[in-house]
């Protein structure tokens, strides 16, 4: 049988499979949501009288329903536009730039018509739609006739979806890294405050004499008083911790605060706490560089901090992007961050002490912590295993036989940031030696990656007394949905996370809880922070 001549053969359109149409539909809906958002944003820019005219003109017209209506011209145009966009990509990849240009031109015409219909609040008429639908149909058929078949379309769309996913993941990592960087950098205002205070410290000899008197005060070793320790180089944050504690204490004159900072911040920290009143509470400031016993021969963490591999891990240019950015936070190389494991050595004459992080705010009287029965345990802390990801196996590598033989992977984690320590029990159990042991075991960073909590979970294993959850509420530095009732009932709220309350990226809902304890009347605060 003879074949019919080619000129009599009617062109047959290739049909797309149902799941490809579903994919196109998803692109359509995403574009629709973006379009409606931009449309609503535009309406907000229009003055009130014009908005009233548009509202009357639109009447009951709903553009969203119109574009989702299978029989409407808006729906047909949107579907053709989505398909045309796919063929633009394929045409460019096949170097058919003329076809890609023609398709792009018609896509812009289609977008303009849809935009006009949305703005005027009326459906697209057949006279408006027919020329664009016809020309787009012709170009799509032309693209199909150029052998851009469905298999090619599928493979192209799949590759572009994968590329978009990779770009999204890279952007997420980059965003996290930038957020981490912002959280670590000292804001200009706080740097200004530090400079002004260090200038006072260096120029005013009476301040230095007063500091020496405070250091030799018998109150700093009196176990009949209530002792708190804070290790930080952030003056304003430390001040908020002290101020919020004394403001909510029944007897603030019975409180003693032990602050340890680094050599750079020592003078400014002294100047701030010597020139501000904290309702009669005693404030002692120490310089970590004066702790001669804290050296590489005693503390394994110091060897790790100065080791070249550790510094490359946190600061090196060739970093593995698969590792979570928070695990590379350089604060974990700060000795101040690890000083919490040496509290008995720093305060050898004290029996009990409350440790407070510099990103907490105290809302209740904490002296009741000192009368709690810890049942012979060293550490009183709030457990965090109400969320499943706060179990031991989430922090520590249980594939290591040393870990798996000694610890329960489902054991409950707890919060570091507001802890009551029985220093007599600490010395008896020799917890610091346990910390040293696990730091040495983790010299190659295979047991854990993240900072101070994992070694604390190991060193205080079986020695931690769970406290009522209301003593310590966490998450104000990253979680925007904490129940107000839980915050109000909390003795301590913790801004753990990158969104610290002294930064611009702080969560605005929680920031007033911190700001109410800032001494905003101080002239240096006025000059540096509010100006």
């Amino acid at each position: 049988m003879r074949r019919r001549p080619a000129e009599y053969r009617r062109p047959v359109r290739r049909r797309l499979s149902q799941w490809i149409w579903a994919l196109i539909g998803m692109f359509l809906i995403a574009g629709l949501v973006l379009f409606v958002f931009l449309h609503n944003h535009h309406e907000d820019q229009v003055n009130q009288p014009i908005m009233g005219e548009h509202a009357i003109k639109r009447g009951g017209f709903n553009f969203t329903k119109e574009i989702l209506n299978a029989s409407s011209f808006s729906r047909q145009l949107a579907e053709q536009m989505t398909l045309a966009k796919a063929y633009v990509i394929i045409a460019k990849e096949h170097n058919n730039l003329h076809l890609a240009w023609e398709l792009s031109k018609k896509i812009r015409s289609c977008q303009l018509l849809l935009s006009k219909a949305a703005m005027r609040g009326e459906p697209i008429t057949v006279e408006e739609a027919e020329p664009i639908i016809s020309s787009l149909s012709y170009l799509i058929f032309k693209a199909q006739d150029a052998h851009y078949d469905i298999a090619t379309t599928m493979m192209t769309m799949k590759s572009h979806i994968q590329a978009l996913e990779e770009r999204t993941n890279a952007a997420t990592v980059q965003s996290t890294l930038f957020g981490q960087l912002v959280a670590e950098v000292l804001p200009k205002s706080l740097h200004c405050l530090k400079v002004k205070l260090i200038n006072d410290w260096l120029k005013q000899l009476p301040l230095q004499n007063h500091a020496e008197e405070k250091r030799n005060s018998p109150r700093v070793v009196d176990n009949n008083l209530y002792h708190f320790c804070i290790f930080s180089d952030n003056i304003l944050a430390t001040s908020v911790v002290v101020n919020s504690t004394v403001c909510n204490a029944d007897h603030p004159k019975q409180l003693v605060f032990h602050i340890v900072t680094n050599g750079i911040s020592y003078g400014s920290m002294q100047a701030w706490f010597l020139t501000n009143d904290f309702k009669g509470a005693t404030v002692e400031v120490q310089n970590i560089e004066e702790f001669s016993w804290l050296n590489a021969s005693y503390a394994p963490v110091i060897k790790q901090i100065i080791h070249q591999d550790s510094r490359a891990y946190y600061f090196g240019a060739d970093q593995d992007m698969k590792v979570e950015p928070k695990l590379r936070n350089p604060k974990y190389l700060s000795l101040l961050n690890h000083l919490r494991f040496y509290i008995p050595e720093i305060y050898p004459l004290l029996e009990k002490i409350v440790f407070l992080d510099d990103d907490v705010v105290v809302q209740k009287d904490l002296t009741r912590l000192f009368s709690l029965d810890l049942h012979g345990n060293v550490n009183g802390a709030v457990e965090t295993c109400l969320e499943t990801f706060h179990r031991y196996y989430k922090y520590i590598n249980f594939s290591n036989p040393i870990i798996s033989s000694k610890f329960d992977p489902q054991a409950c984690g707890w919060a570091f940031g507001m802890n009551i320590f029985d220093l007599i029990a600490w010395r008896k159990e020799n917890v610091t030696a346990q910390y040293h042991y696990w730091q040495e075991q983790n010299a190659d960073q295979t047991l854990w990656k993240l900072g101070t909590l994992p070694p604390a979970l190991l060193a205080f294993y079986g020695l931690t007394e769970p406290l009522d959850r209301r003593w310590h509420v966490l998450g104000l530095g990253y979680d925007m949905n904490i129940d107000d009732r839980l915050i109000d009932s909390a003795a301590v709220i913790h801004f753990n996370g990158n969104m610290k309350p002294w930064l611009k990226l702080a969560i605005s809902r929680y920031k007033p809880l911190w700001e109410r304890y800032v001494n905003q009347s101080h002239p240096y605060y006025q000059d540096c922070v509010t100006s």
Side-chain angles (χ1 to χ4, degrees), residues 54-73:
H54 282 194
I56 295 171
K57 194 171 184 179
R58 283 196 301 267
F61 179 75
N62 188 319
F63 184 74
T64 303
K65 290 183 179 179
E66 175 73 10
I67 206 167
L68 293 176
N69 184 356
S71 62
S72 70
F73 289 119

Side-chain angles (χ1 to χ4, degrees), residues 210-222 227-232 238 242 255-261 266 269-270 273-274 278 281-287 290-291 346-348 350 353:
H210 191 194
E212 194 63 29
E213 293 174 8
K214 284 282 187 79
R215 176 179 294 189
N216 296 323
S217 170
R219 291 173 59 84
V220 298
V221 294
D222 187 349
H227 295 266
F228 302 83
C229 61
I230 309 161
F231 308 135
S232 173
T238 306
V242 174
L255 307 186
V256 181
F257 294 90
H258 305 269
I259 299 169
V260 181
T261 189
Y266 175 72
M269 194 79 78
Q270 283 280 26
F273 283 99
L274 290 171
F278 294 96
T282 300
V283 181
E284 174 200 28
V285 180
Q286 293 178 274
N287 185 353
E290 295 180 0
F291 299 161
I346 302 171
Y347 312 110
L350 296 184
I353 198 167

Side-chain angles (χ1 to χ4, degrees), residues 244-505:
S244 63
T245 306
V246 299
C247 285
N248 291 288
D250 294 335
H251 305 286
K253 290 184 179 180
Q254 296 182 9
L255 307 186
V256 181
F257 294 90
H258 305 269
I259 299 169
V260 181
T261 189
N262 54 30
I264 296 173
S265 303
Y266 175 72
S268 52
M269 194 79 78
Q270 283 280 26
W272 179 268
F273 283 99
L274 290 171
T275 56
N276 281 280
D277 176 52
F278 294 96
K279 296 188 175 183
T282 300
V283 181
E284 174 200 28
V285 180
Q286 293 178 274
N287 185 353
I288 191 174
E289 294 177 7
E290 295 180 0
F291 299 161
S292 57
W293 51 269
L294 192 60
N295 51 55
S297 62
Y298 175 62
V301 69
I302 297 181
K303 289 187 287 187
Q304 294 175 17
I305 287 173
I306 63 179
H307 196 277
Q308 185 176 358
D309 291 344
S310 294
R311 304 198 72 81
Y313 177 80
Y314 289 104
F315 298 107
D318 301 325
Q319 295 187 352
D320 184 2
M321 297 303 289
K322 293 181 180 178
V323 179
E324 288 187 67
K326 72 175 183 178
L327 302 187
R328 295 190 181 278
N329 191 335
K331 79 174 185 179
Y332 300 125
L333 285 181
S334 168
L335 191 55
L336 283 174
N337 201 50
H338 291 265
L339 206 59
R340 62 193 69 188
F341 294 101
Y342 300 98
I343 292 175
E345 283 87 343
I346 302 171
Y347 312 110
L349 299 179
L350 296 184
E351 297 175 356
K352 277 191 175 183
I353 198 167
V354 169
F355 167 75
L356 296 171
D357 255 336
D358 66 357
D359 54 354
V360 306
V361 172
V362 177
Q363 301 186 131
K364 310 285 183 184
D365 184 6
L366 296 187
T367 58
R368 290 179 293 130
L369 282 167
F370 292 83
S371 60
L372 292 179
D373 186 359
L374 299 183
H375 300 98
N377 287 309
V378 177
N379 172 31
V382 170
E383 292 185 330
T384 56
C385 55
L386 292 176
E387 299 85 3
T388 56
F389 54 84
H390 285 156
R391 302 282 178 176
Y392 265 51
Y393 74 92
K394 286 293 184 178
Y395 297 98
I396 304 162
N397 179 14
F398 273 84
S399 64
N400 186 295
I402 300 177
I403 296 293
S404 58
S405 64
K406 294 179 179 290
F407 302 97
D408 176 10
Q410 293 296 331
C412 190
W414 43 267
F416 229 154
M418 194 294 297
N419 307 77
I420 172 71
F421 291 120
D422 184 334
L423 300 183
I424 296 175
W426 184 316
R427 298 181 187 101
K428 180 181 177 182
E429 298 291 344
N430 208 358
V431 175
T432 303
Q434 287 292 318
Y435 163 69
H436 284 170
Y437 170 79
W438 289 114
Q439 282 288 356
E440 289 170 348
Q441 294 297 314
N442 193 45
D444 57 359
Q445 297 179 339
T446 58
L447 299 188
W448 70 83
K449 298 290 186 185
L450 181 63
T452 54
L453 183 56
L457 295 177
L458 301 179
F460 290 98
Y461 186 71
L463 299 172
T464 298
E465 179 71 16
L467 302 182
D468 188 293
R469 188 186 181 194
R470 291 170 295 181
W471 277 112
H472 188 188
V473 171
L474 298 98
L476 279 77
Y478 67 89
D479 187 352
M480 301 184 184
N481 299 308
I482 303 175
D483 192 325
D484 286 332
R485 292 170 297 179
L486 185 60
I487 293 175
D488 292 341
S489 67
V492 173
I493 52 175
H494 197 163
F495 288 82
N496 56 312
N498 286 340
M499 300 179 184
K500 302 299 185 189
W502 53 85
L503 300 175
K504 288 185 178 179
L505 52 76

Side-chain angles (χ1 to χ4, degrees), residues 18 28 74 79 87 103 106 120 168 187-188 198 212 262-263 306 317 331 341 355 402 469 478 490 494:
Q18 292 182 352
L28 171 63
S74 298
E79 289 179 346
Y87 280 121
L103 285 165
K106 291 301 177 184
R120 73 191 181 199
T168 301
K188 182 174 67 174
I198 193 66
E212 194 63 29
N262 54 30
I306 63 179
K331 79 174 185 179
F341 294 101
F355 167 75
I402 300 177
R469 188 186 181 194
Y478 67 89
H494 197 163

Side-chain angles (χ1 to χ4, degrees), residues 18-224:
Q18 292 182 352
W19 73 273
I20 291 299
W21 278 113
L23 180 62
I24 292 172
M26 290 172 62
F27 279 107
L28 171 63
I29 292 172
L32 170 63
V33 171
L34 179 60
F35 177 79
V36 172
F37 171 77
L38 292 174
H39 167 55
N40 291 338
H41 178 71
H42 176 84
E43 287 186 341
D44 291 339
Q45 305 295 322
V46 182
N47 59 45
Q48 191 65 32
I50 295 178
M51 285 177 66
E53 290 176 11
H54 282 194
I56 295 171
K57 194 171 184 179
R58 283 196 301 267
F61 179 75
N62 188 319
F63 184 74
T64 303
K65 290 183 179 179
E66 175 73 10
I67 206 167
L68 293 176
N69 184 356
S71 62
S72 70
F73 289 119
S74 298
R75 172 70 175 268
Q76 293 179 50
L77 285 167
E79 289 179 346
Q80 281 193 318
M81 185 171 61
T82 302
L83 186 57
K85 286 180 179 179
Y87 280 121
V88 167
I89 296 170
I90 299 171
K92 286 181 178 179
E93 289 184 348
H94 286 76
N95 207 29
N96 193 343
L97 300 182
H98 181 70
L99 177 59
W101 179 82
E102 286 184 307
L103 285 165
S104 297
K105 183 179 178 182
K106 291 301 177 184
I107 288 169
R108 286 193 294 271
S109 298
C110 187
Q111 290 172 331
L112 182 60
L113 181 56
L114 288 170
S115 177
K116 285 181 177 179
M119 288 302 300
R120 73 191 181 199
E122 294 178 353
I124 296 173
T125 64
V126 63
E127 291 80 10
E128 294 172 318
E130 188 173 7
I132 298 179
I133 290 175
S134 298
S135 55
L136 261 179
S137 298
Y138 169 75
L139 289 173
I140 290 171
F141 170 75
K142 188 176 178 180
Q144 292 173 336
D145 201 45
H147 304 293
Y148 303 155
D149 57 17
I150 191 61
T152 304
T153 305
M154 288 168 57
M155 293 301 297
T156 303
M157 295 304 294
K158 183 177 180 180
S159 65
H160 280 282
I161 289 171
Q162 290 175 342
L164 284 172
E165 287 178 348
E166 291 175 3
R167 288 172 62 184
T168 301
N169 292 336
T172 301
V173 171
Q174 192 176 48
S175 175
T176 306
L177 285 169
F178 287 153
Q180 192 75 58
L181 182 63
V182 170
E184 294 157 15
V185 174
L186 184 70
K188 182 174 67 174
S189 57
L190 297 187
H191 179 71
C192 164
L193 183 66
K194 183 178 287 190
V195 170
K196 286 180 176 290
L197 289 167
I198 193 66
N199 186 56
D200 284 353
W201 172 254
L202 294 174
K203 286 185 175 181
Q204 298 182 29
L205 187 61
L207 279 180
Q208 300 181 28
N209 294 333
H210 191 194
E212 194 63 29
E213 293 174 8
K214 284 282 187 79
R215 176 179 294 189
N216 296 323
S217 170
R219 291 173 59 84
V220 298
V221 294
D222 187 349
N223 283 296
N224 293 314

